[in-house]
Amino acid sequence: VECVDWTGGQIKNNDSSDDVKNVDLSQVHYLSGPITVEGAQPGDLLKVEFLNLGALDDDEWGFTGTFAKENGGGFLTDHFPKATKACWDIDGIYCSRLDSSRLDWNGTKMWNEREATLVAEEGTDAEKTLCGCLATRPLACLPEAKGAMLGKLGHFVEKSGKDDAWDMVASEAARTVPGRENGGNCDIKNLSRGCTVYFPVFVEGANLSMGDMHFSQGDGEVSFCGAIEMSGFLDLRCSVIKGGMKMLPAIGPSPLNVNPIFEIGPLEPRYSEWLVFEGISVDEKGVQHYLDATIAYKMAVLRCIKYLAQFGYSEEQVYLLLSCCPCEGRISGIVDVPNAVCTLAIPLAIFDQDVRPPSDLEHFAKGIKVIEKDVCISEEGGAIPYDPRLAK
């Protein structure tokens, strides 16, 4: 199966971050599929084995970015509101920076209703506490006919406003932005060659789709547009475990409240030395939160960014690096009230200098050099989602 990058080619291999700033997110994700798996029925378990994957021929490059605050944002938008982009050259299993400055399936209704409830709470007393601590907006991406790509039913350019059946489906179809019970946009960095995923089957034929391939990713993909995004191919082997969905625990009000499970393959990056940063659920304003792992992880990421910026990197460079390098995020403590504890572990081998605390601070200060520019940063404000390929 061949896949284009998740934006459908909107991001270019150049020195400008304007394409990230103004990316049209109504179109994403571009997926390959759906593929009908013969014999798959509701209630089955679809076993998908990742035999091989890689970059497409003559397209061996990828990108990492952060969205502008007014067009998607990211995990640390309140600290990094501008769009940025870095491009990478892919060479086999390595990459380097380019020289550049039949259940009663009604899951869709269930997803849309619970996410619409979250959006409706924004600005009210019912708004979740965390919403005031992260600048990412919107709170959820509800069905939107603009940009909808509905597989065999057709693309919005040809169908929108011209086909009643297409318009009806587009107004109800769940966006592919988050992970959900069917798998969805899980962005788990451990899913690679040699992995096996067990998906619940909700519809006849399973309708397996895939895309949004990453060359490398850190836990959390914190900059949002944040792995090394790429086009690529996948060789898969699919088999059906009849009635196997009953093995997935349903936790929630519906028998559809299940999630996939997966086996990690043997080809993960291997590192032996790490520098670990800790965060607790006290935010950057000094406000105490109760066992909030998201705040704790945010603080671990911020501490790592501020620390590594002392070694000649810009904070924007470190932010992108933490999103695309194979760093390890952990919930290290979730029971000792009031603080959740999260950690972020950075492999030391990815740096060309020693980034551990030095024993001689005076000598350290004299030896610092500023890393050459390798991140394109946009001007703040004025992002206008626009895909020039769709201009009339």
Side-chain angles (χ1 to χ4, degrees):
V1 180
E2 294 188 349
C3 303
V4 298
D5 81 81
W6 70 284
T7 72
Q10 295 186 62
I11 309 305
K12 305 303 180 185
N13 186 1
N14 58 31
D15 296 341
S16 171
S17 61
D18 286 348
D19 47 9
V20 174
K21 178 179 180 177
N22 299 314
V23 64
D24 181 2
L25 296 176
S26 71
Q27 300 182 47
V28 300
H29 296 83
Y30 275 76
L31 304 179
S32 298
I35 298 170
T36 299
V37 179
E38 187 175 351
Q41 296 291 331
D44 292 344
L45 205 58
L46 179 63
K47 179 180 180 181
V48 179
E49 299 171 79
F50 289 52
L51 305 181
N52 195 13
L53 56 86
L56 293 178
D57 289 342
D58 300 321
D59 203 21
E60 291 98 347
W61 73 282
F63 64 90
T64 306
T66 57
F67 294 126
K69 180 177 181 177
E70 61 272 26
N71 189 24
F75 191 49
L76 301 180
T77 301
D78 43 347
H79 293 265
F80 301 98
K82 299 179 182 180
T84 64
K85 183 177 73 174
C87 294
W88 307 82
D89 184 26
I90 296 173
D91 183 12
I93 63 171
Y94 300 98
C95 79
S96 59
R97 180 180 55 82
L98 288 174
D99 290 332
S100 166
S101 305
R102 192 90 21 190
L103 293 165
D104 182 16
W105 169 242
N106 202 11
T108 305
K109 182 174 183 292
M110 176 177 68
W111 299 340
N112 289 338
E113 287 181 349
R114 72 189 183 199
E115 292 171 18
T117 299
L118 179 67
V119 172
E121 292 173 355
E122 185 173 358
T124 72
D125 292 339
E127 181 176 273
K128 303 297 185 291
T129 302
L130 185 62
C131 298
C133 304
L134 296 175
T136 304
R137 292 293 185 272
L139 302 184
C141 297
L142 303 181
E144 183 179 0
K146 177 189 175 185
M149 293 165 286
L150 303 180
K152 297 174 183 177
L153 294 181
H155 191 281
F156 71 97
V157 172
E158 290 82 26
K159 294 287 189 175
S160 182
K162 305 169 187 175
D163 184 316
D164 291 343
W166 188 96
D167 289 340
M168 184 273 292
V169 174
S171 69
E172 299 177 355
R175 297 290 302 276
T176 59
V177 174
R180 295 191 181 94
E181 286 84 343
N182 63 326
N185 188 25
C186 53
D187 283 328
I188 298 172
K189 72 177 176 60
N190 309 88
L191 292 179
S192 189
R193 283 176 292 177
C195 291
T196 299
V197 188
Y198 299 86
F199 291 105
V201 176
F202 294 138
V203 296
E204 184 175 353
N207 286 352
L208 177 66
S209 298
M210 66 215 68
D212 189 14
M213 294 183 64
H214 298 165
F215 180 86
S216 175
Q217 181 199 308
D219 279 334
E221 197 188 8
V222 290
S223 76
F224 196 2
C225 180
I228 297 181
E229 310 285 349
M230 59 181 284
S231 58
F233 71 90
L234 300 97
D235 292 337
L236 306 173
R237 178 165 57 218
C238 298
S239 55
V240 177
I241 301 175
K242 300 303 295 181
M245 184 171 152
K246 65 173 65 76
M247 291 295 298
L248 302 179
I251 301 176
S254 167
L256 304 177
N257 290 135
V258 298
N259 287 98
I261 58 178
F262 66 95
E263 304 173 39
I264 298 176
L267 299 178
E268 290 192 299
R270 305 296 183 188
Y271 296 99
S272 59
E273 294 183 297
W274 303 79
L275 194 62
V276 182
F277 297 84
E278 180 186 51
I280 61 175
S281 47
V282 177
D283 66 29
E284 58 268 53
K285 297 179 181 178
V287 176
Q288 178 73 62
H289 298 261
Y290 177 73
L291 293 180
D292 195 320
T294 304
I295 293 295
Y297 195 60
K298 177 184 180 182
M299 295 306 295
V301 174
L302 281 173
R303 295 188 193 286
C304 181
I305 290 173
K306 300 292 185 182
Y307 175 85
L308 290 176
Q310 299 174 98
F311 290 82
Y313 306 99
S314 71
E315 293 189 357
E316 289 80 7
Q317 288 171 326
V318 182
Y319 188 23
L320 293 187
L321 178 67
L322 298 185
S323 200
C324 67
C325 80
C327 55
E328 298 281 345
R330 295 285 187 272
I331 297 178
S332 301
I334 201 67
V335 295
D336 296 318
V337 296
N339 282 330
V341 178
C342 287
T343 54
L344 179 65
I346 310 302
L348 293 174
I350 67 175
F351 297 99
D352 61 0
Q353 60 178 313
D354 189 349
V355 297
R356 292 172 294 187
S359 57
D360 183 349
L361 290 180
E362 183 178 353
H363 181 268
F364 165 73
K366 293 179 180 178
I368 287 299
K369 64 177 182 178
V370 177
I371 308 301
E372 294 180 4
K373 175 188 174 187
D374 61 357
V375 175
C376 306
I377 305 176
S378 72
E379 295 294 327
E380 185 174 354
I384 302 175
Y386 174 68
D387 184 348
R389 301 171 304 176
L390 304 181
K392 298 278 185 165

